[in-house]
PDB file of all heavy atoms in Angstrom:
ATOM      1  N   ASP A  47     116.371 118.843 121.002  1.00 98.00           N
ATOM      2  CA  ASP A  47     116.239 119.323 122.379  1.00 98.00           C
ATOM      3  C   ASP A  47     115.929 118.131 123.294  1.00 98.00           C
ATOM      4  O   ASP A  47     115.927 116.984 122.848  1.00 98.00           O
ATOM      5  CB  ASP A  47     115.191 120.446 122.483  1.00 98.00           C
ATOM      6  CG  ASP A  47     113.756 119.972 122.242  1.00 98.00           C
ATOM      7  OD1 ASP A  47     113.529 118.739 122.172  1.00 98.00           O
ATOM      8  OD2 ASP A  47     112.854 120.827 122.135  1.00 98.00           O
ATOM      9  N   ILE A  48     115.626 118.361 124.568  1.00 98.00           N
ATOM     10  CA  ILE A  48     115.450 117.238 125.498  1.00 98.00           C
ATOM     11  C   ILE A  48     114.203 116.403 125.189  1.00 98.00           C
ATOM     12  O   ILE A  48     114.068 115.283 125.662  1.00 98.00           O
ATOM     13  CB  ILE A  48     115.404 117.705 126.986  1.00 98.00           C
ATOM     14  CG1 ILE A  48     114.269 118.704 127.204  1.00 98.00           C
ATOM     15  CG2 ILE A  48     116.734 118.259 127.431  1.00 98.00           C
ATOM     16  CD1 ILE A  48     113.990 118.971 128.680  1.00 98.00           C
ATOM     17  N   ASN A  49     113.290 116.946 124.370  1.00 98.00           N
ATOM     18  CA  ASN A  49     112.103 116.191 123.962  1.00 98.00           C
ATOM     19  C   ASN A  49     112.288 115.499 122.609  1.00 98.00           C
ATOM     20  O   ASN A  49     111.330 114.951 122.053  1.00 98.00           O
ATOM     21  CB  ASN A  49     110.879 117.107 123.901  1.00 98.00           C
ATOM     22  CG  ASN A  49     110.541 117.675 125.268  1.00 98.00           C
ATOM     23  OD1 ASN A  49     110.463 116.934 126.244  1.00 98.00           O
ATOM     24  ND2 ASN A  49     110.380 118.993 125.346  1.00 98.00           N
ATOM     25  N   GLY A  50     113.530 115.565 122.103  1.00 98.00           N
ATOM     26  CA  GLY A  50     113.800 114.949 120.804  1.00 98.00           C
ATOM     27  C   GLY A  50     113.271 115.768 119.639  1.00 98.00           C
ATOM     28  O   GLY A  50     113.209 115.302 118.504  1.00 98.00           O
ATOM     29  N   MET A  51     112.881 117.016 119.909  1.00 98.00           N
ATOM     30  CA  MET A  51     112.334 117.896 118.870  1.00 98.00           C
ATOM     31  C   MET A  51     113.475 118.609 118.148  1.00 98.00           C
ATOM     32  O   MET A  51     114.359 119.190 118.782  1.00 98.00           O
ATOM     33  CB  MET A  51     111.395 118.930 119.492  1.00 98.00           C
ATOM     34  CG  MET A  51     110.180 118.342 120.165  1.00 98.00           C
ATOM     35  SD  MET A  51     108.734 118.227 119.083  1.00 98.00           S
ATOM     36  CE  MET A  51     108.200 119.941 119.038  1.00 98.00           C
ATOM     37  N   ARG A  52     113.427 118.567 116.831  1.00 98.00           N
ATOM     38  CA  ARG A  52     114.410 119.256 116.002  1.00 98.00           C
ATOM     39  C   ARG A  52     113.845 120.597 115.536  1.00 98.00           C
ATOM     40  O   ARG A  52     112.630 120.808 115.621  1.00 98.00           O
ATOM     41  CB  ARG A  52     114.763 118.372 114.801  1.00 98.00           C
ATOM     42  CG  ARG A  52     115.460 117.063 115.207  1.00 98.00           C
ATOM     43  CD  ARG A  52     115.249 115.970 114.162  1.00 98.00           C
ATOM     44  NE  ARG A  52     116.038 114.779 114.475  1.00 98.00           N
ATOM     45  CZ  ARG A  52     115.688 113.843 115.344  1.00 98.00           C
ATOM     46  NH1 ARG A  52     114.553 113.958 116.042  1.00 98.00           N
ATOM     47  NH2 ARG A  52     116.450 112.778 115.541  1.00 98.00           N
ATOM     48  N   PRO A  53     114.688 121.488 115.002  1.00 98.00           N
ATOM     49  CA  PRO A  53     114.171 122.779 114.514  1.00 98.00           C
ATOM     50  C   PRO A  53     113.001 122.626 113.528  1.00 98.00           C
ATOM     51  O   PRO A  53     112.038 123.388 113.588  1.00 98.00           O
ATOM     52  CB  PRO A  53     115.402 123.406 113.856  1.00 98.00           C
ATOM     53  CG  PRO A  53     116.552 122.880 114.676  1.00 98.00           C
ATOM     54  CD  PRO A  53     116.177 121.464 114.988  1.00 98.00           C
ATOM     55  N   LEU A  54     113.073 121.591 112.659  1.00 98.00           N
ATOM     56  CA  LEU A  54     111.991 121.387 111.686  1.00 98.00           C
ATOM     57  C   LEU A  54     110.651 121.097 112.384  1.00 98.00           C
ATOM     58  O   LEU A  54     109.599 121.514 111.912  1.00 98.00           O
ATOM     59  CB  LEU A  54     112.351 120.247 110.721  1.00 98.00           C
ATOM     60  CG  LEU A  54     111.369 119.998 109.567  1.00 98.00           C
ATOM     61  CD1 LEU A  54     111.207 121.245 108.692  1.00 98.00           C
ATOM     62  CD2 LEU A  54     111.813 118.812 108.704  1.00 98.00           C
ATOM     63  N   HIS A  55     110.677 120.394 113.503  1.00 98.00           N
ATOM     64  CA  HIS A  55     109.451 120.144 114.266  1.00 98.00           C
ATOM     65  C   HIS A  55     108.794 121.463 114.680  1.00 98.00           C
ATOM     66  O   HIS A  55     107.570 121.630 114.556  1.00 98.00           O
ATOM     67  CB  HIS A  55     109.756 119.344 115.548  1.00 98.00           C
ATOM     68  CG  HIS A  55     109.985 117.879 115.326  1.00 98.00           C
ATOM     69  ND1 HIS A  55     111.237 117.341 115.196  1.00 98.00           N
ATOM     70  CD2 HIS A  55     109.116 116.836 115.218  1.00 98.00           C
ATOM     71  CE1 HIS A  55     111.136 116.034 115.025  1.00 98.00           C
ATOM     72  NE2 HIS A  55     109.863 115.706 115.035  1.00 98.00           N
ATOM     73  N   TYR A  56     109.610 122.388 115.185  1.00 98.00           N
ATOM     74  CA  TYR A  56     109.060 123.657 115.687  1.00 98.00           C
ATOM     75  C   TYR A  56     108.521 124.525 114.548  1.00 98.00           C
ATOM     76  O   TYR A  56     107.464 125.149 114.681  1.00 98.00           O
ATOM     77  CB  TYR A  56     110.119 124.406 116.501  1.00 98.00           C
ATOM     78  CG  TYR A  56     110.312 123.798 117.872  1.00 98.00           C
ATOM     79  CD1 TYR A  56     111.413 122.992 118.143  1.00 98.00           C
ATOM     80  CD2 TYR A  56     109.371 123.998 118.881  1.00 98.00           C
ATOM     81  CE1 TYR A  56     111.571 122.398 119.399  1.00 98.00           C
ATOM     82  CE2 TYR A  56     109.524 123.418 120.128  1.00 98.00           C
ATOM     83  CZ  TYR A  56     110.623 122.620 120.388  1.00 98.00           C
ATOM     84  OH  TYR A  56     110.762 122.028 121.622  1.00 98.00           O
ATOM     85  N   ALA A  57     109.239 124.543 113.433  1.00 98.00           N
ATOM     86  CA  ALA A  57     108.768 125.336 112.285  1.00 98.00           C
ATOM     87  C   ALA A  57     107.456 124.762 111.737  1.00 98.00           C
ATOM     88  O   ALA A  57     106.536 125.507 111.383  1.00 98.00           O
ATOM     89  CB  ALA A  57     109.845 125.346 111.202  1.00 98.00           C
ATOM     90  N   ALA A  58     107.363 123.427 111.703  1.00 98.00           N
ATOM     91  CA  ALA A  58     106.138 122.771 111.208  1.00 98.00           C
ATOM     92  C   ALA A  58     104.971 123.023 112.157  1.00 98.00           C
ATOM     93  O   ALA A  58     103.843 123.305 111.731  1.00 98.00           O
ATOM     94  CB  ALA A  58     106.382 121.271 111.049  1.00 98.00           C
ATOM     95  N   TRP A  59     105.232 122.916 113.446  1.00 98.00           N
ATOM     96  CA  TRP A  59     104.206 123.137 114.469  1.00 98.00           C
ATOM     97  C   TRP A  59     103.616 124.544 114.350  1.00 98.00           C
ATOM     98  O   TRP A  59     102.403 124.745 114.453  1.00 98.00           O
ATOM     99  CB  TRP A  59     104.843 122.912 115.847  1.00 98.00           C
ATOM    100  CG  TRP A  59     104.005 123.298 117.028  1.00 98.00           C
ATOM    101  CD1 TRP A  59     102.651 123.155 117.164  1.00 98.00           C
ATOM    102  CD2 TRP A  59     104.472 123.902 118.249  1.00 98.00           C
ATOM    103  NE1 TRP A  59     102.251 123.619 118.398  1.00 98.00           N
ATOM    104  CE2 TRP A  59     103.346 124.087 119.090  1.00 98.00           C
ATOM    105  CE3 TRP A  59     105.725 124.282 118.724  1.00 98.00           C
ATOM    106  CZ2 TRP A  59     103.427 124.641 120.354  1.00 98.00           C
ATOM    107  CZ3 TRP A  59     105.806 124.827 119.990  1.00 98.00           C
ATOM    108  CH2 TRP A  59     104.671 125.011 120.791  1.00 98.00           C
ATOM    109  N   GLN A  60     104.484 125.536 114.101  1.00 98.00           N
ATOM    110  CA  GLN A  60     104.035 126.929 114.013  1.00 98.00           C
ATOM    111  C   GLN A  60     103.559 127.320 112.613  1.00 98.00           C
ATOM    112  O   GLN A  60     103.097 128.434 112.405  1.00 98.00           O
ATOM    113  CB  GLN A  60     105.178 127.855 114.445  1.00 98.00           C
ATOM    114  CG  GLN A  60     105.515 127.764 115.928  1.00 98.00           C
ATOM    115  CD  GLN A  60     104.355 128.192 116.810  1.00 98.00           C
ATOM    116  OE1 GLN A  60     103.742 129.230 116.595  1.00 98.00           O
ATOM    117  NE2 GLN A  60     104.026 127.372 117.794  1.00 98.00           N
ATOM    118  N   GLY A  61     103.694 126.403 111.658  1.00 98.00           N
ATOM    119  CA  GLY A  61     103.244 126.696 110.284  1.00 98.00           C
ATOM    120  C   GLY A  61     104.111 127.712 109.562  1.00 98.00           C
ATOM    121  O   GLY A  61     103.629 128.447 108.693  1.00 98.00           O
TER     122      GLY A  61
END
Side-chain angles (χ1 to χ4, degrees):
D47 69 10
I48 58 168
N49 297 311
M51 297 267 284
R52 295 155 173 81
L54 185 59
H55 283 96
Y56 284 103
W59 171 37
Q60 291 297 312

